Amino acid sequence: MKALVYHGPGKKALDECPKPDIAARTDAIVKIVKTTICGTDLHILKGDVPTCASGRILGHEGIGVVDKVGSAVTAFQTGDRVIVSCISSCGKCDYCRRGMYSHCVDGGWILGNKIDGTQAEYVRIPFADTSLYRIPAGADEDALV
Ligand SMILES: [Zn+2]
Ligand SMILES: [Zn+2]
């Protein structure tokens, strides 16, 4: 698949990368329909974000269609149209239970930072049940992204 890959400060490329697969039972694979960049991506590209290593697929915002789900995912199935949250949330740790998802001990802002992100044809979403949001019927996906 095609993906936008960070290759160190000031360097990026549209590369051919392997399609992601389910790595944990709580994962979903989402086919990206729309994505965008934000100021944080520009900070990464300047070299301001040391947690983001060279070789990382960028992007942490997206609209997509669920391609595949792990065996523990119950809230989504193949074909569901979803919003990808920039914040991955396990839904179970102390921080998640208090609604402080960005501090999730296994999640938080990891997409396009510590794990491969959404500026790609497909993305692996950890903790899919608590990190994806269903798109209401008839919603304007351009507005949602
Ligand atoms: Zn952002
Ligand atoms: Zn958590």
Side-chain angles (χ1 to χ4, degrees), residues 22-45:
I22 301 287
R25 297 185 325 125
T26 47
D27 288 348
I29 304 301
V30 174
K31 179 179 170 57
I32 292 292
V33 175
K34 297 177 190 297
T35 185
T36 186
I37 62 170
C38 91
T40 304
D41 297 317
L42 302 181
H43 280 294
I44 292 171
L45 287 166

Side-chain angles (χ1 to χ4, degrees), residues 47-67:
D48 291 345
V49 182
T51 51
C52 186
S54 177
R56 178 69 59 233
I57 297 174
L58 293 173
H60 51 270
E61 283 114 12
I63 301 293
V65 180
V66 175
D67 180 58

Side-chain angles (χ1 to χ4, degrees), residues 25-122:
R25 297 185 325 125
T26 47
D27 288 348
I29 304 301
V30 174
K31 179 179 170 57
I32 292 292
V33 175
K34 297 177 190 297
T35 185
T36 186
I37 62 170
C38 91
T40 304
D41 297 317
L42 302 181
H43 280 294
I44 292 171
L45 287 166
K46 275 175 62 191
D48 291 345
V49 182
T51 51
C52 186
S54 177
R56 178 69 59 233
I57 297 174
L58 293 173
H60 51 270
E61 283 114 12
I63 301 293
V65 180
V66 175
D67 180 58
K68 190 193 259 194
V69 294
S71 59
V73 174
T74 58
F76 297 95
Q77 57 190 10
T78 301
D80 286 345
R81 299 189 79 84
V82 291
I83 300 175
V84 174
S85 172
C86 58
I87 301 295
S88 301
S89 161
C90 78
K92 293 177 177 170
C93 73
D94 268 6
Y95 291 111
C96 285
R97 295 298 295 267
R98 283 187 274 159
M100 300 165 70
Y101 310 118
S102 62
H103 293 278
C104 175
V105 295
D106 290 320
W109 175 47
I110 56 175
L111 267 185
N113 176 14
K114 297 176 182 174
I115 65 171
D116 287 334
T118 57
Q119 289 168 18
E121 292 181 78
Y122 293 87

